[in-house]
Amino acid sequence: MPNSTEALTSSDFEIRTRKPRILFFDIETSSLTVKTWRTYQADAIKVVQTWQMLCWSAKWQDGKHITRTLMDYEGYDPSTNCDKALTTELAGLLEQADIIIGHNSDKFDTKKVNTRMIIHGLNPIPQAKSVDTLKLARQRFAFHSNKLDTLGDLLGVGRKAQTGGYDLWEQCIAGDQKAWRKMAKYCRQDVVLLEAVYNKLKSWAVNHPNVSVMNEIEDGCKVCGGTSLRRKGWCYERTGKSQRWLCNDCGHYQRGKFIKTTDIR
């Protein structure tokens, strides 16, 4: 930080006021092709072909929405369905993000992207902070189902697009352009719904990445970065207390600095 006698340059101002880059994303993959001895609850004898990424959709918070399928890249060949270009572009977006948000993304999407990256010889990218709306729903609520479609319906913010079933995946793999367009529409709607569900759940988050710190705001809301907070009582512990604050923008409660009031020996 410059001292009081130094003038702030435009670059200093840009860094100090930069908002965190929050990316919502979702991916679609192909299934495994395997051989089995039977059709019901069977173990795979041999993997004939591993899965690949077919499509992804990503949206910056308050920003651009991008959707890509294998068909969108030069040299697309249905006989190979190589996803290197698809993976590389998504990795480039994830590399720019400070926070990534997905549904079941910690267990599925992020690990799937990492898998395709290392297979294609791509270098690892910095690990962004993560918000998984599936984990948040499980942690704080008791919905009868934590599927994204169910949450969207119950919270009144929308539903997933209909695919017509697994046939769509097979049609895409076979190179059907109409099917690819439908896949892109389906994946894009997942991200639209994801953002809407996140906006409903976020004020309930317990361990949300601290957006206020990323904004370089000392006393802002940890969830949304807002600066309109009001006092709402105290949080008491064995040796002291903390001021409780309520964000007027998103409704999140958070604690202020701990004030020690007694010693327990």
Side-chain angles (χ1 to χ4, degrees), residues 104-123:
N104 197 31
S105 51
D106 287 350
K107 183 178 180 180
F108 183 82
D109 302 76
T110 299
K111 289 184 177 180
K112 291 287 188 179
V113 174
N114 290 345
T115 301
R116 297 312 295 173
M117 286 178 63
I118 196 168
I119 284 174
H120 291 305
L122 302 178
N123 292 326

PDB file of all heavy atoms in Angstrom, residues 104-123:
ATOM      1  N   ASN A 104     -22.906 -30.557  -7.401  1.00  0.00           N
ATOM      2  CA  ASN A 104     -22.140 -31.801  -7.316  1.00  0.00           C
ATOM      3  C   ASN A 104     -20.793 -31.654  -8.022  1.00  0.00           C
ATOM      4  O   ASN A 104     -20.188 -32.628  -8.457  1.00  0.00           O
ATOM      5  CB  ASN A 104     -22.916 -32.986  -7.908  1.00  0.00           C
ATOM      6  CG  ASN A 104     -22.351 -34.329  -7.489  1.00  0.00           C
ATOM      7  OD1 ASN A 104     -21.802 -34.470  -6.398  1.00  0.00           O
ATOM      8  ND2 ASN A 104     -22.467 -35.322  -8.354  1.00  0.00           N
ATOM      9  N   SER A 105     -20.322 -30.425  -8.119  1.00  0.00           N
ATOM     10  CA  SER A 105     -19.099 -30.133  -8.878  1.00  0.00           C
ATOM     11  C   SER A 105     -17.835 -30.610  -8.170  1.00  0.00           C
ATOM     12  O   SER A 105     -16.855 -30.973  -8.833  1.00  0.00           O
ATOM     13  CB  SER A 105     -18.998 -28.630  -9.161  1.00  0.00           C
ATOM     14  OG  SER A 105     -19.159 -27.881  -7.973  1.00  0.00           O
ATOM     15  N   ASP A 106     -17.831 -30.617  -6.841  1.00  0.00           N
ATOM     16  CA  ASP A 106     -16.632 -31.073  -6.134  1.00  0.00           C
ATOM     17  C   ASP A 106     -16.361 -32.555  -6.407  1.00  0.00           C
ATOM     18  O   ASP A 106     -15.205 -32.973  -6.546  1.00  0.00           O
ATOM     19  CB  ASP A 106     -16.781 -30.856  -4.629  1.00  0.00           C
ATOM     20  CG  ASP A 106     -16.663 -29.396  -4.231  1.00  0.00           C
ATOM     21  OD1 ASP A 106     -16.276 -28.581  -5.086  1.00  0.00           O
ATOM     22  OD2 ASP A 106     -16.964 -29.067  -3.066  1.00  0.00           O
ATOM     23  N   LYS A 107     -17.408 -33.338  -6.490  1.00  0.00           N
ATOM     24  CA  LYS A 107     -17.265 -34.775  -6.691  1.00  0.00           C
ATOM     25  C   LYS A 107     -17.216 -35.149  -8.164  1.00  0.00           C
ATOM     26  O   LYS A 107     -16.503 -36.083  -8.555  1.00  0.00           O
ATOM     27  CB  LYS A 107     -18.427 -35.512  -6.015  1.00  0.00           C
ATOM     28  CG  LYS A 107     -18.346 -37.021  -6.108  1.00  0.00           C
ATOM     29  CD  LYS A 107     -19.509 -37.675  -5.358  1.00  0.00           C
ATOM     30  CE  LYS A 107     -19.446 -39.194  -5.453  1.00  0.00           C
ATOM     31  NZ  LYS A 107     -20.573 -39.829  -4.717  1.00  0.00           N
ATOM     32  N   PHE A 108     -17.943 -34.408  -9.008  1.00  0.00           N
ATOM     33  CA  PHE A 108     -18.076 -34.798 -10.408  1.00  0.00           C
ATOM     34  C   PHE A 108     -17.354 -33.853 -11.371  1.00  0.00           C
ATOM     35  O   PHE A 108     -16.296 -34.174 -11.900  1.00  0.00           O
ATOM     36  CB  PHE A 108     -19.559 -34.905 -10.781  1.00  0.00           C
ATOM     37  CG  PHE A 108     -19.804 -35.377 -12.197  1.00  0.00           C
ATOM     38  CD1 PHE A 108     -19.765 -36.725 -12.502  1.00  0.00           C
ATOM     39  CD2 PHE A 108     -20.055 -34.467 -13.216  1.00  0.00           C
ATOM     40  CE1 PHE A 108     -19.981 -37.160 -13.813  1.00  0.00           C
ATOM     41  CE2 PHE A 108     -20.265 -34.879 -14.517  1.00  0.00           C
ATOM     42  CZ  PHE A 108     -20.227 -36.240 -14.820  1.00  0.00           C
ATOM     43  N   ASP A 109     -17.916 -32.672 -11.598  1.00  0.00           N
ATOM     44  CA  ASP A 109     -17.455 -31.814 -12.691  1.00  0.00           C
ATOM     45  C   ASP A 109     -15.968 -31.464 -12.602  1.00  0.00           C
ATOM     46  O   ASP A 109     -15.235 -31.596 -13.589  1.00  0.00           O
ATOM     47  CB  ASP A 109     -18.279 -30.519 -12.727  1.00  0.00           C
ATOM     48  CG  ASP A 109     -19.759 -30.778 -12.897  1.00  0.00           C
ATOM     49  OD1 ASP A 109     -20.389 -31.188 -11.904  1.00  0.00           O
ATOM     50  OD2 ASP A 109     -20.293 -30.569 -13.983  1.00  0.00           O
ATOM     51  N   THR A 110     -15.520 -30.993 -11.435  1.00  0.00           N
ATOM     52  CA  THR A 110     -14.130 -30.566 -11.311  1.00  0.00           C
ATOM     53  C   THR A 110     -13.168 -31.723 -11.525  1.00  0.00           C
ATOM     54  O   THR A 110     -12.157 -31.592 -12.239  1.00  0.00           O
ATOM     55  CB  THR A 110     -13.887 -29.928  -9.930  1.00  0.00           C
ATOM     56  OG1 THR A 110     -14.738 -28.781  -9.788  1.00  0.00           O
ATOM     57  CG2 THR A 110     -12.446 -29.494  -9.773  1.00  0.00           C
ATOM     58  N   LYS A 111     -13.463 -32.871 -10.934  1.00  0.00           N
ATOM     59  CA  LYS A 111     -12.586 -34.025 -11.091  1.00  0.00           C
ATOM     60  C   LYS A 111     -12.605 -34.558 -12.525  1.00  0.00           C
ATOM     61  O   LYS A 111     -11.580 -35.027 -13.042  1.00  0.00           O
ATOM     62  CB  LYS A 111     -12.978 -35.128 -10.104  1.00  0.00           C
ATOM     63  CG  LYS A 111     -12.637 -34.775  -8.662  1.00  0.00           C
ATOM     64  CD  LYS A 111     -12.950 -35.930  -7.727  1.00  0.00           C
ATOM     65  CE  LYS A 111     -12.547 -35.598  -6.295  1.00  0.00           C
ATOM     66  NZ  LYS A 111     -12.843 -36.727  -5.365  1.00  0.00           N
ATOM     67  N   LYS A 112     -13.758 -34.486 -13.170  1.00  0.00           N
ATOM     68  CA  LYS A 112     -13.847 -34.917 -14.567  1.00  0.00           C
ATOM     69  C   LYS A 112     -12.996 -34.019 -15.467  1.00  0.00           C
ATOM     70  O   LYS A 112     -12.285 -34.501 -16.356  1.00  0.00           O
ATOM     71  CB  LYS A 112     -15.309 -34.898 -15.033  1.00  0.00           C
ATOM     72  CG  LYS A 112     -16.196 -35.960 -14.400  1.00  0.00           C
ATOM     73  CD  LYS A 112     -15.889 -37.336 -14.946  1.00  0.00           C
ATOM     74  CE  LYS A 112     -16.897 -38.373 -14.471  1.00  0.00           C
ATOM     75  NZ  LYS A 112     -16.644 -39.719 -15.013  1.00  0.00           N
ATOM     76  N   VAL A 113     -13.078 -32.706 -15.232  1.00  0.00           N
ATOM     77  CA  VAL A 113     -12.262 -31.775 -16.024  1.00  0.00           C
ATOM     78  C   VAL A 113     -10.783 -32.045 -15.790  1.00  0.00           C
ATOM     79  O   VAL A 113      -9.981 -32.095 -16.737  1.00  0.00           O
ATOM     80  CB  VAL A 113     -12.611 -30.307 -15.685  1.00  0.00           C
ATOM     81  CG1 VAL A 113     -11.660 -29.352 -16.408  1.00  0.00           C
ATOM     82  CG2 VAL A 113     -14.049 -29.992 -16.063  1.00  0.00           C
ATOM     83  N   ASN A 114     -10.399 -32.223 -14.525  1.00  0.00           N
ATOM     84  CA  ASN A 114      -9.000 -32.521 -14.214  1.00  0.00           C
ATOM     85  C   ASN A 114      -8.527 -33.780 -14.924  1.00  0.00           C
ATOM     86  O   ASN A 114      -7.388 -33.852 -15.415  1.00  0.00           O
ATOM     87  CB  ASN A 114      -8.831 -32.701 -12.701  1.00  0.00           C
ATOM     88  CG  ASN A 114      -8.978 -31.411 -11.924  1.00  0.00           C
ATOM     89  OD1 ASN A 114      -8.941 -30.324 -12.492  1.00  0.00           O
ATOM     90  ND2 ASN A 114      -9.162 -31.524 -10.623  1.00  0.00           N
ATOM     91  N   THR A 115      -9.394 -34.794 -14.981  1.00  0.00           N
ATOM     92  CA  THR A 115      -9.041 -36.058 -15.626  1.00  0.00           C
ATOM     93  C   THR A 115      -8.764 -35.873 -17.108  1.00  0.00           C
ATOM     94  O   THR A 115      -7.757 -36.377 -17.643  1.00  0.00           O
ATOM     95  CB  THR A 115     -10.175 -37.088 -15.438  1.00  0.00           C
ATOM     96  OG1 THR A 115     -10.401 -37.286 -14.047  1.00  0.00           O
ATOM     97  CG2 THR A 115      -9.813 -38.419 -16.089  1.00  0.00           C
ATOM     98  N   ARG A 116      -9.629 -35.134 -17.785  1.00  0.00           N
ATOM     99  CA  ARG A 116      -9.421 -34.909 -19.227  1.00  0.00           C
ATOM    100  C   ARG A 116      -8.205 -34.018 -19.460  1.00  0.00           C
ATOM    101  O   ARG A 116      -7.490 -34.164 -20.463  1.00  0.00           O
ATOM    102  CB  ARG A 116     -10.668 -34.289 -19.862  1.00  0.00           C
ATOM    103  CG  ARG A 116     -11.911 -35.164 -19.803  1.00  0.00           C
ATOM    104  CD  ARG A 116     -11.655 -36.599 -20.247  1.00  0.00           C
ATOM    105  NE  ARG A 116     -11.278 -36.686 -21.659  1.00  0.00           N
ATOM    106  CZ  ARG A 116     -10.879 -37.804 -22.258  1.00  0.00           C
ATOM    107  NH1 ARG A 116     -10.776 -38.922 -21.572  1.00  0.00           N
ATOM    108  NH2 ARG A 116     -10.565 -37.798 -23.549  1.00  0.00           N
ATOM    109  N   MET A 117      -7.932 -33.099 -18.554  1.00  0.00           N
ATOM    110  CA  MET A 117      -6.756 -32.239 -18.691  1.00  0.00           C
ATOM    111  C   MET A 117      -5.464 -33.051 -18.644  1.00  0.00           C
ATOM    112  O   MET A 117      -4.587 -32.896 -19.491  1.00  0.00           O
ATOM    113  CB  MET A 117      -6.747 -31.168 -17.591  1.00  0.00           C
ATOM    114  CG  MET A 117      -7.747 -30.048 -17.776  1.00  0.00           C
ATOM    115  SD  MET A 117      -7.722 -28.868 -16.404  1.00  0.00           S
ATOM    116  CE  MET A 117      -6.041 -28.218 -16.544  1.00  0.00           C
ATOM    117  N   ILE A 118      -5.351 -33.917 -17.652  1.00  0.00           N
ATOM    118  CA  ILE A 118      -4.096 -34.672 -17.521  1.00  0.00           C
ATOM    119  C   ILE A 118      -3.951 -35.685 -18.648  1.00  0.00           C
ATOM    120  O   ILE A 118      -2.838 -35.956 -19.115  1.00  0.00           O
ATOM    121  CB  ILE A 118      -3.989 -35.334 -16.126  1.00  0.00           C
ATOM    122  CG1 ILE A 118      -2.544 -35.765 -15.869  1.00  0.00           C
ATOM    123  CG2 ILE A 118      -4.955 -36.495 -15.977  1.00  0.00           C
ATOM    124  CD1 ILE A 118      -2.273 -36.169 -14.430  1.00  0.00           C
ATOM    125  N   ILE A 119      -5.058 -36.243 -19.120  1.00  0.00           N
ATOM    126  CA  ILE A 119      -4.998 -37.172 -20.255  1.00  0.00           C
ATOM    127  C   ILE A 119      -4.472 -36.465 -21.500  1.00  0.00           C
ATOM    128  O   ILE A 119      -3.701 -37.035 -22.285  1.00  0.00           O
ATOM    129  CB  ILE A 119      -6.390 -37.787 -20.518  1.00  0.00           C
ATOM    130  CG1 ILE A 119      -6.687 -38.857 -19.455  1.00  0.00           C
ATOM    131  CG2 ILE A 119      -6.483 -38.397 -21.918  1.00  0.00           C
ATOM    132  CD1 ILE A 119      -8.084 -39.441 -19.529  1.00  0.00           C
ATOM    133  N   HIS A 120      -4.848 -35.200 -21.669  1.00  0.00           N
ATOM    134  CA  HIS A 120      -4.409 -34.435 -22.845  1.00  0.00           C
ATOM    135  C   HIS A 120      -3.087 -33.708 -22.616  1.00  0.00           C
ATOM    136  O   HIS A 120      -2.646 -32.927 -23.470  1.00  0.00           O
ATOM    137  CB  HIS A 120      -5.487 -33.426 -23.251  1.00  0.00           C
ATOM    138  CG  HIS A 120      -6.727 -34.064 -23.811  1.00  0.00           C
ATOM    139  ND1 HIS A 120      -6.694 -34.931 -24.885  1.00  0.00           N
ATOM    140  CD2 HIS A 120      -8.033 -33.966 -23.442  1.00  0.00           C
ATOM    141  CE1 HIS A 120      -7.923 -35.329 -25.159  1.00  0.00           C
ATOM    142  NE2 HIS A 120      -8.745 -34.762 -24.301  1.00  0.00           N
ATOM    143  N   GLY A 121      -2.438 -33.940 -21.487  1.00  0.00           N
ATOM    144  CA  GLY A 121      -1.134 -33.350 -21.240  1.00  0.00           C
ATOM    145  C   GLY A 121      -1.168 -31.893 -20.848  1.00  0.00           C
ATOM    146  O   GLY A 121      -0.151 -31.197 -20.978  1.00  0.00           O
ATOM    147  N   LEU A 122      -2.302 -31.408 -20.367  1.00  0.00           N
ATOM    148  CA  LEU A 122      -2.404 -30.010 -19.951  1.00  0.00           C
ATOM    149  C   LEU A 122      -1.867 -29.855 -18.525  1.00  0.00           C
ATOM    150  O   LEU A 122      -1.996 -30.754 -17.696  1.00  0.00           O
ATOM    151  CB  LEU A 122      -3.859 -29.542 -20.005  1.00  0.00           C
ATOM    152  CG  LEU A 122      -4.562 -29.663 -21.366  1.00  0.00           C
ATOM    153  CD1 LEU A 122      -6.008 -29.196 -21.250  1.00  0.00           C
ATOM    154  CD2 LEU A 122      -3.830 -28.866 -22.433  1.00  0.00           C
ATOM    155  N   ASN A 123      -1.295 -28.709 -18.254  1.00  0.00           N
ATOM    156  CA  ASN A 123      -0.769 -28.432 -16.923  1.00  0.00           C
ATOM    157  C   ASN A 123      -1.906 -28.129 -15.947  1.00  0.00           C
ATOM    158  O   ASN A 123      -2.970 -27.644 -16.352  1.00  0.00           O
ATOM    159  CB  ASN A 123       0.194 -27.248 -16.953  1.00  0.00           C
ATOM    160  CG  ASN A 123       1.474 -27.566 -17.703  1.00  0.00           C
ATOM    161  OD1 ASN A 123       1.953 -28.699 -17.664  1.00  0.00           O
ATOM    162  ND2 ASN A 123       2.023 -26.580 -18.386  1.00  0.00           N
TER     163      ASN A 123
END
